[in-house]
Amino acid sequence: MGSNPASNHPVSFKWIMKAVEKGGTLICVDPRFTQSAAKAHIYAPLRSGTDIAFLGGMIKYILDNNLIQEEYVKNYTNASFLVNPGFKLPGDNGGVFSGLKGEAYDKASWSYQTDAEGRIRKDETLRDSNCAYQLLKKHYSRYTPELVSSITGTPKEKLLEVYESYAKTGKPDKAGNILYAMGWTQHTVGTQNIRAMSIIQELLGNMGLAGGGVQALRGESNVQGSTDYGLLFHILPGYLGVPRASDTALAVYNEKRTPKTREPNSLNWWKNYPKYSASLLRSFYGTNATLDEAYSYLPKLDDGVDYSWLTLFDQMYKSRFTGFFAWGMNPAVSSANIFKVRKALTQLDWMVNVNLFDNETGEFWRAAGMDPKKIKTEVFMLPCAMSFEKEGSITNSGRLMQWRNKAVDPPGEARPDADIITDLYFRLKELYETEGGPLKEAITKLTWNYGEAVVEGRLLHVDIRAVAKEINGCFLTDKLDQASKREFKKGDPVPAFAFLQDDGSTSSGNWLYCNSFADKGNMAARRGTKDPSGIGLYPEWAWSWPVNRRIIYNGASVDLQGKPWDPKRAVIAWDGTKWVGDVPDGVGNPGSGRPPFIMKPDGVASIFGPGLADGPFPEHYEPLESPLARNLMSPQMNNPVIRRWDKPGVGTEMDIARSADTLFPIVCTTMRVSEHWQSGVMTRWQPWLVEMEPALFVEMSPQLAREKGIKNGDQIFIKSARGQAEAVAMVTERVKPFLIDGKTVHQIALPWHFGWATSATRAYGARDKKPEIFTFGNAANRLTPTIGDANTMIPESKAFMVNIFRKGVA
Amino acid sequence: MRLTRRTFLKVSGTVLAGSGLGVSLKPIYAHAKPLKIRYARETTTICPYCSVGCSIIISTASYGKVINTEGDPNSPINAGALCSKGSSLYQLSINNPNRLTKPRYRAPYESEWKEVSWEWALDRIARNVKKSRDESFRQTNGKGQTVNRTEGIASVGSAALDNEECYLYQKFLRGLGLVYIEHQARI
């Protein structure tokens, strides 16, 4: 669900087919009959944006038929925790949870009952009406197959077929796995889509097992790494929080972010937070500043303010920035509501665009409707090296960090990104040293010792391995580690994050990667192909964070005695004296009672999840733009805590939404094809790929095509409240109308990889041959709305409303 | 004659039709012909497209040209397999005449690019960054709390960078005081 791996992560599908050969059952749930669906044992259609209804029905089915893995649920989840009696479910509270105040929840009632010592009260029998298990049961009792089918458009018998098949994985020695992608995240309820499936995996005891889990199929080769390294407004490397203005000193910051627990057996791994924050500050400023000074240099966010993608472009539109870096990104195609984004770019004084090829962001001033003579923005387009024209590591969807070697030099004057960043850094450092400026120390005191190629104080070429070593971390002074009684000398690499210190004696650029480049060298470059586990762990192939653990949460793959739930596919096992198998995750010795989810303060997985902005259980709400005038589940139409950019005084005149509007009666989703990638910058220039997928097309059902007088291959227009795009009609039986609340609802889908920057218009050298073939078609994000998920602010690009017309008709 | 894949198909179609057999009658010659990668240097890389992490072997000739790219059979991730994008990696590097090879500059209100030197471009960018930062840097917010941030510059990118580059880039941006730091993971 929420992904199409056969098309978009094709090599992952190789292993899915291996599992099928071994007797596994493949289920595909998707609005379209995709290439993945074509190989599935069971295919179930659903309307875009209704996954929580679908999965809520599955939770009800599992609980009604008592198909849970009981020992797992009782010991490894918070099912037994007693919740505050003041907590109210949406079914008893007008479709929202208790505590809604305006556009945010006051979560006071989402808390646990505690005893005199502050410990959480529990009912191990799971019978108390206030325990998380009973609340879950009550909440999803509303998700009957009839109601779910009416919302999702999935035939009732298909729902039950999927539920019955998947629930079989609740047996201790069976595992079920879910692969999701943007089909789940790009919704106003994106986080809760994933939560709903996580709850199912907890009920069925599928987390931590070989072949279990909830897998995010990430879209970019290193989007896992770039997230690990904190290229987002709210996180620093290693998922440490970016300081807020009220975090007035390092001690305050650490105190607020280090979780505490009264649960006696819980390990609460994040108690080590101050060690990781101190080591990170050292990686910025080394010993050029004290820890407190280094902390004060870090930029702080205002409390309660969002600085994420949609806000960024809204602020740019409102002329709040003079400068902008679009480094290895093409937001003029990839952002939701791109007409707004392109207009925002005209408000800048300058923009730096670093890329391999021409792209719509660098050339936004040539977009349809733009007059370059009226656009002030100074644009720099800098050519960079591609993946094998430099060396470095990337981290895949499975946290596996693999090394890339350099094969050739980049073409012409193109340079590795690290060299461009470094060159710019040294020029700025010189400017601040000679001319001064506000808080210049934050820049001039950064450590930047990455190699020998220093000329007149400037580093000309970065030794990437020196950076990798700084990330791993080292001792800055001689130190006796108290926990292990091991002695380290100044300059020694830190062997693993358990040795990091909170007193400034260690430096590490990302605690999760500590151990990747220590005394054994560059672990990411390893190519060992042994698999002693027999389940495909390959522990000597490259390196995975944390500490080369291949299956995270594997402490939950064994029972309380350390015996694997599934002995045929053991991930770890207790041999009487020690753990064998994968690097064990958080488990104490059998009998210690330590719960296995050590990154949670209370040590267990969350059936009840009070940490999220929009409720401790997932609840179905309609997408911002829906074909329905009301939510069939409750009186509350949309997620009540999303930020509405279309309201007066919030966004701009370009942030428009039209729901249940006869002008836009068709549900639309964006999607991808195998031959293109993301905004198309790295695929629209290769003739082989272009020949296979040259143009924007729209998949639609024969029924819709008949209604609209459209034939397969016709040129059509797709219109939304934001804009229109031109495309080729692909009329196919793979798309079917849905029956929603007794009425026919159509859905269409279009890929989003296209734009005007193609080889057709490129100025070639005298000896270069003009290409015979090139892509054409508009960017699908002309149509998508400005609206984000309540927790992540990821835009809702997978469910919005449009209309279509044959060209010449409208 | 330079053959593209398209014209190659056309030509080979004609030849096959002309021979009347459709098969080569020179198997011994074909067998004896050395592989084009025989004297090439092999390096491994990881595919730059999706997040599966397929390993790819790059064969480079002594004169510095990529002459072959193919799936790495030793990788437990892909066991030699590649998808259509991974298979076309050959066309992404120096074999692609469309790559940007020189810094370009579009001056305010101009309709065309002009090529500029790195020296000129980076000096001018550094000057712009300093001006934007110095004009928009705030040591305290409206409540008088210390914030030490640059409000007038934003950045997006990038999941296309290697880990070490991501690390350097965020260090650079946070050192400058930026708070509007976003990338692909948010969309």
Side-chain angles (χ1 to χ4, degrees), chain B residues 48-81:
Chain B
Y49 293 106
C50 86
S51 59
V52 170
C54 297
S55 186
I56 300 178
I57 299 171
I58 312 291
S59 298
T60 313
S62 54
Y63 46 91
K65 190 177 176 330
V66 174
I67 54 170
N68 190 51
T69 62
E70 64 184 276
D72 177 353
N74 289 328
S75 167
I77 303 289
N78 57 312

Side-chain angles (χ1 to χ4, degrees), chain B residues 33-163:
Chain B
K33 190 179 173 186
L35 283 173
K36 67 177 177 177
I37 57 172
R38 185 164 168 187
Y39 299 108
R41 185 170 66 100
E42 287 190 346
T43 50
T44 56
T45 188
I46 307 299
C47 181
Y49 293 106
C50 86
S51 59
V52 170
C54 297
S55 186
I56 300 178
I57 299 171
I58 312 291
S59 298
T60 313
S62 54
Y63 46 91
K65 190 177 176 330
V66 174
I67 54 170
N68 190 51
T69 62
E70 64 184 276
D72 177 353
N74 289 328
S75 167
I77 303 289
N78 57 312
L82 290 176
C83 74
S84 46
K85 288 190 291 293
S87 305
S88 70
L89 195 62
Y90 176 81
Q91 291 190 328
L92 193 61
S93 182
I94 54 170
N95 299 326
N96 193 320
N98 301 314
R99 281 282 295 276
L100 295 169
T101 56
K102 282 184 178 154
R104 287 185 190 179
Y105 177 68
R106 182 262 177 187
Y109 310 110
E110 283 297 321
S111 304
E112 295 299 328
W113 290 109
K114 66 174 184 186
E115 287 184 350
V116 293
S117 71
W118 276 104
E119 191 66 20
W120 184 87
L122 292 179
D123 263 343
R124 189 161 174 94
I125 293 167
R127 194 42 84 184
N128 284 347
V129 170
K130 185 164 192 303
K131 182 168 184 286
S132 290
R133 180 183 181 273
D134 292 357
E135 285 172 359
S136 69
F137 192 82
R138 290 181 68 186
Q139 284 184 308
T140 55
N141 65 6
K143 291 182 188 165
Q145 295 163 319
T146 301
V147 291
N148 286 336
R149 67 185 178 221
T150 296
E151 298 190 342
I153 308 176
S155 166
V156 297
S158 176
L161 300 177
D162 291 344
N163 285 325

Side-chain angles (χ1 to χ4, degrees), chain A residues 489-562:
Chain A
K489 294 274 174 237
K490 180 180 173 181
D492 283 352
V494 182
F497 54 69
F499 298 93
L500 291 173
Q501 311 288 325
D502 62 5
D503 61 357
S505 58
T506 53
S507 167
S508 171
N510 189 336
W511 70 276
L512 288 172
Y513 285 79
C514 190
N515 185 238
S516 65
F517 208 130
D519 33 7
K520 289 179 191 151
N522 186 0
M523 303 289 273
R526 296 187 306 166
R527 291 179 52 83
T529 52
K530 286 197 213 106
D531 180 28
S533 69
I535 56 167
L537 297 182
Y538 299 98
E540 291 171 7
W541 181 270
W543 182 89
S544 67
W545 69 255
V547 289
N548 203 33
R549 180 174 298 129
R550 300 294 160 132
I551 296 185
I552 207 162
Y553 314 129
N554 62 33
S557 72
V558 293
D559 64 16
L560 295 175
Q561 288 73 47

Side-chain angles (χ1 to χ4, degrees), chain A residues 10 15 182 186 218 220-222 225-227 229-235 237 245 283 296 299-300 302 307-309 321-325 327-329 350 356 358 362-363 365-366 372-373 375-379 381 383-384 386 388-390 392-397 402 404-405 407-408 411 413 415 417-418 423 427-428 431-432 435-436 438-439 443 447 450 470 527 529 538 541 674-675 677 682 685-689 691 762 764 772 792 794-795, chain B residues 4-6 41 43-54 58 60 64 72 74-78 83-85 87-89 91-94 96-106 108-113 118-119 122-130 132-134 137 141 145-149 151-159 161-171 174-175 177-187:
Chain A
W15 306 108
M182 309 315 281
Q186 290 179 337
R218 307 212 61 176
E220 308 231 358
S221 61
N222 197 34
S226 55
T227 308
Y229 282 91
L231 280 172
L232 291 163
F233 89 87
H234 69 298
I235 46 171
S283 78
S296 77
K300 317 283 185 306
D302 278 343
Y307 297 79
S308 71
W309 186 274
F321 306 126
T322 49
F324 180 53
F325 290 100
W327 203 299
M329 272 206 86
W350 56 269
L356 303 176
D358 274 349
E363 298 208 331
W365 41 278
R366 284 180 169 164
K373 294 198 163 43
I375 297 169
K376 66 174 176 177
T377 315
E378 234 185 320
V379 185
M381 197 187 269
C384 58
M386 55 83 74
F388 59 77
E389 295 163 356
K390 60 188 179 187
S393 71
I394 61 167
T395 304
N396 81 352
S397 260
Q402 301 187 94
R404 288 167 161 171
N405 297 293
V408 284
E413 296 176 19
R415 299 171 70 184
D417 298 89
D423 199 333
R427 280 167 210 261
L428 277 158
L431 282 179
Y432 276 95
E435 298 175 12
L439 197 69
I443 300 164
T447 56
Y450 307 115
E470 176 170 295
R527 291 179 52 83
T529 52
Y538 299 98
W541 181 270
S674 301
E675 289 74 22
W677 187 67
M682 277 168 59
W685 302 93
Q686 285 106 302
W688 293 343
L689 296 173
E691 184 173 346
R762 167 126 156 67
Y764 282 77
E772 295 171 18
T792 64
I794 291 177
Chain B
T4 63
R5 185 159 164 266
R6 214 150 232 255
R41 185 170 66 100
T43 50
T44 56
T45 188
I46 307 299
C47 181
Y49 293 106
C50 86
S51 59
V52 170
C54 297
I58 312 291
T60 313
D72 177 353
N74 289 328
S75 167
I77 303 289
N78 57 312
C83 74
S84 46
K85 288 190 291 293
S87 305
S88 70
L89 195 62
Q91 291 190 328
L92 193 61
S93 182
I94 54 170
N96 193 320
N98 301 314
R99 281 282 295 276
L100 295 169
T101 56
K102 282 184 178 154
R104 287 185 190 179
Y105 177 68
R106 182 262 177 187
Y109 310 110
E110 283 297 321
S111 304
E112 295 299 328
W113 290 109
W118 276 104
E119 191 66 20
L122 292 179
D123 263 343
R124 189 161 174 94
I125 293 167
R127 194 42 84 184
N128 284 347
V129 170
K130 185 164 192 303
S132 290
R133 180 183 181 273
D134 292 357
F137 192 82
N141 65 6
Q145 295 163 319
T146 301
V147 291
N148 286 336
R149 67 185 178 221
E151 298 190 342
I153 308 176
S155 166
V156 297
S158 176
L161 300 177
D162 291 344
N163 285 325
E164 296 73 20
E165 293 172 329
C166 290
Y167 169 76
L168 286 184
Y169 191 47
Q170 67 84 33
K171 185 169 175 175
R174 294 198 162 105
L178 265 67
V179 285
Y180 283 98
I181 299 171
E182 287 283 283
H183 83 288
Q184 285 93 337
R186 186 82 64 193
I187 55 173

Side-chain angles (χ1 to χ4, degrees), chain A residues 679-702:
Chain A
S679 76
V681 178
M682 277 168 59
T683 51
R684 276 189 260 138
W685 302 93
Q686 285 106 302
W688 293 343
L689 296 173
V690 171
E691 184 173 346
M692 287 192 277
E693 288 285 359
L696 179 65
F697 62 91
V698 176
E699 287 193 355
M700 67 182 74
S701 69

